[in-house]
């Protein structure tokens, strides 16, 4: 045992053990000349491998801890005052999983999140994260302070916005394998970590999971997350899996301390990094072997993790050292220790060297608070998302009431869909796997319910790659779910080509009717992560070099096709709402976001078009699937009153009741044209018992007369009941109502779109 270590892991405790029992036991068995023996006892938790309890015990000195460790077997007979007798085990190595803290949420009976910490090279699951402070110098009393046990849970639990109850664990393993073992042995700690996590989390495998990693511990975490993602994919696509289509990837965030992440020559740099670490953590140089192949493994893990992190939207919080380690300097420079991705939190500097950068004392836990703030925010979103998934379904949709709770007449805003063929064009490339693909199913599921209520033909579901799976007139969400499950994510993202085919097919059918007023309108909704295939554009066709620098060729060619269609519709004097194109970006690619916003806000004026037929919306998580989202998704491109309304993303859910959208009693608009804004007093009404979320605009929740529906997250069976708003968009001409009977003769052309 380390000559300074004062804390031991205590296992095999009786089920009814209390903290007082532990203090009494060691007071009776250890001689310390009348001085205090036990400084603190950690929370007593269930041992996943047995029907017994475990805890951590911090003694007042290393001598007292050593005496406890040396107790003979006969002296280890432990009796709990409430009942139960066991022979306890004491351990100072903290190998495998150790629960440092666990407290259940009083409302649910279990912790909200799990946090698992991993040390680095030559580290220790307890000592790496621990500082020591003098309590009484005369009595030679010192106290060990481990921020994972003594600070992190309290900071999470006592937040003013939301109390987050956590289980915090540390994982002890032989990190020296990166230096002293063969490449084949590098997977041993990863496999052990996954094995113990499975045991500890078997009662609740979907509980949000967070990792804390120091130095090489971060590399082990990355490899473990990649392995979890591979297993998640197997469960999603395996037809015999019980969790097929419902697997919820548990990892939500990582806190990385001094973990190298990037560099074009990271494999080469890793050799030097591993060599330096060996000197920092006193590894015998005679035992170091195979650093070059290990450095390549190091680089591969970093690359694979980045793909998984992006796919599952894992939040990464980075910490870098600001103090040099002796003559070696900063072991991991700020640039390398900072994990960059769109929307990432700023990296935090820690005023310590690489070896000590995860040792926070009781006095300086304020240094942790900004990072804990981000961790808590991510945890809150994950908890809200989990609660949203667990909502029970409500009754099937019913037609909207002719009057609202205040007696005002209302009209269902979605009734406009009766005049449209609604077609979903879906990106089914590999970049859509994971959470993005789950969101596609949920969007289809709900959209079918709403659209079919107004259009007996349902919706058309078309794919960019799996063209053979295209299906028209889908009316049943279960049919859509079956199609969704059968899709193999493959190929690329031929957005321009597929968009062109659909629009050209519609124009041909429209022309065949001699542009009849009775021909059905076209509502095309594109679901994509945003990044289309690279395209070649002849330099001779580029007239605006500034535009060419700003947007990729693929984006410019998509724009060219849209402009071409819009001008053709203007030429034949088609109705303003004849064609609508909604781009729903499922992801956060910044280039794609900028281009879609340009299409929405500037295309019409920039190309002098007589119509605005584009709308855009983003969806980054299940929390975004609100009633307002679905209204804008389905109507934004065809109802210009919704076009300029911006949606917030990652909305938190506060209650668990699945409720329906109610009509606002009054709505006002100010300004004209593109400068038009919605006033502060526009509201969507919620019942007093079911308020969904506070919003800065248009989602407030005043008191409402009984009988109105509440505002809540959507489900397959939620009911919409919106009015046509009183204030019309200046210059907006609502399309005339069309008879679905008179246009049925053209329905056979649909299958030719793809």
């Amino acid at each position: 045992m380390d000559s300074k270590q004062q804390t031991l892991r205590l296992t095999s405790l009786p089920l009814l053990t209390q903290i007082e029992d532990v203090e009494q036991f060691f007071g009776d068995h250890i001689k310390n000349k009348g001085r205090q023996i036990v400084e603190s006892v950690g929370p007593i938790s269930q041992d996943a491998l047995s029907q017994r309890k475990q805890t951590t015990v911090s003694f007042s000195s290393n001598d007292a801890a050593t005496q406890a460790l040396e107790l003979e077997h006969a002296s280890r007979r432990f009796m709990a005052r409430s009942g139960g007798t066991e022979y306890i085990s004491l351990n100072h190595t903290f190998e495998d999983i150790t629960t440092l803290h666990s407290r259940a949420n009083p409302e649910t009976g279990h912790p909200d999140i799990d946090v698992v910490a991993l040390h680095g090279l030559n580290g220790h699951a307890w000592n790496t994260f621990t500082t020591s402070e003098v309590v009484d110098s005369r009595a030679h009393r010192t106290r060990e302070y481990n921020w994972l046990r003594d600070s992190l849970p309290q900071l999470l639990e006592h937040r003013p916005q939301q109390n987050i109850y956590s289980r915090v664990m540390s994982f002890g393993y032989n990190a020296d394998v990166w230096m002293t073992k063969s490449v084949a042995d590098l997977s041993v700690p990863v496999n052990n970590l996954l094995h113990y996590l499975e045991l500890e989390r078997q009662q609740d495998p979907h509980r949000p999971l967070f990792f804390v990693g120091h130095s090489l511990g971060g590399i082990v975490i990355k490899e473990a997350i990649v392995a979890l993602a591979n297993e998640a994919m197997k469960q999603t696509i395996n037809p015999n899996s019980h969790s097929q289509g419902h697997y919820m990837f548990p990892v939500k965030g990582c806190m990385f301390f001094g973990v190298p992440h990037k560099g074009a020559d990271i494999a080469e740099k890793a050799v030097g990094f591993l060599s330096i670490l060996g000197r920092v953590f006193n590894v015998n140089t005679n035992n170091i072997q195979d650093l070059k192949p290990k450095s390549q493994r190091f680089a591969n893990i970093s690359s694979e993790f980045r793909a998984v992190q992006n796919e599952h939207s894992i939040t990464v919080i980075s910490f870098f050292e600001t103090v040099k380690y002796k003559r070696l300097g900063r072991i991991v420079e700020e640039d390398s220790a900072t994990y960059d991705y769109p929307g990432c939190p700023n990296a935090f500097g820690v005023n310590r060297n690489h070896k000590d950068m995860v040792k926070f004392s009781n006095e300086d836990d304020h240094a942790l608070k900004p990072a804990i703030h981000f961790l808590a925010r991510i945890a809150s979103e994950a908890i809200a998302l989990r609660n949203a998934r667990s909502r029970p379904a409500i009754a099937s949709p019913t037609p909207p009431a002719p009057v609202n709770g205040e007696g005002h007449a209302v009209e269902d805003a979605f009734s406009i869909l009766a005049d449209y063929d609604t077609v979903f064009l879906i990106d089914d490339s590999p970049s859509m796997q994971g959470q993005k693909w789950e969101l596609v199913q949920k969007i289809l599921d709900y959209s079918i319910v709403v659209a079919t209520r107004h259009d007996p033909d349902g919706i058309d579901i078309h794919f960019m790659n799996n063209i053979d799976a295209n299906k028209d007139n889908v009316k049943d969400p279960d049919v859509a779910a079956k199609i969704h499950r059968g899709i193999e994510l493959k190929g690329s993202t031929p957005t321009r080509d597929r968009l062109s085919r659909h629009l050209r097919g519609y124009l041909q059918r429209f022309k065949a009717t001699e542009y009849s007023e009775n021909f059905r309108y076209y509502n095309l909704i594109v679901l994509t992560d945003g990044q289309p295939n690279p395209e070649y554009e002849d330099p001779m066709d580029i007239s605006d070099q500034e535009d060419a620098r700003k947007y990729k060729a693929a984006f410019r060619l998509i724009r060219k096709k849209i402009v071409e269609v819009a001008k053709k519709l203007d030429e034949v004097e088609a109705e303003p709402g004849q064609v609508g194109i909604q781009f729903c970006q499922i992801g956060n690619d910044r280039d794609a976001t900028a281009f879609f916003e340009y299409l929405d806000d500037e295309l019409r004026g920039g190309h002098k078009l007589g119509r605005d037929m584009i709308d855009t919306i983003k969806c980054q998580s299940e929390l975004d699937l609100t009633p307002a989202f679905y209204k804008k998704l389905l109507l934004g491109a065809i109802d210009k009153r919704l076009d300029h309304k911006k949606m917030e993303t990652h909305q938190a859910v506060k209650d668990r009741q699945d409720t329906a959208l109610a009509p606002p009693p009054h709505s006002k608009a100010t300004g004209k044209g593109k400068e038009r804004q919605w006033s502060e007093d526009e509201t969507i009404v919620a019942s007093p018992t079911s308020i969904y979320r506070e919003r800065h605009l248009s989602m407030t929740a005043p008191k409402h007369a009984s009988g109105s529906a509440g505002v809540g997250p959507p489900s397959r069976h939620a009911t919409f009941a919106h009015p046509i708003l009183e204030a019309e968009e200046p210059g907006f001409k609502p399309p005339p109502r069309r008879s679905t009977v008179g246009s049925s003769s053209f329905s056979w052309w649909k299958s030719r779109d793809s």
Side-chain angles (χ1 to χ4, degrees), residues 1 5-10 26 55-59 64-66 68-69 90-92 94 144:
M1 184 171 73
Q5 185 175 339
Q6 299 173 213
T7 301
L8 304 178
R9 183 172 68 184
L10 179 57
F26 290 110
T55 189
T56 54
V57 184
S58 296
F59 295 90
T66 302
L69 198 60
L90 291 160
N91 176 282
H92 70 281
F94 284 73
E144 286 189 330

Side-chain angles (χ1 to χ4, degrees), residues 4 38 79 226 293 300 366 578 645:
K4 296 181 180 180
V38 175
M79 296 181 62
V226 170
N300 292 343
H366 63 276
Q578 188 79 42
K645 298 193 73 174

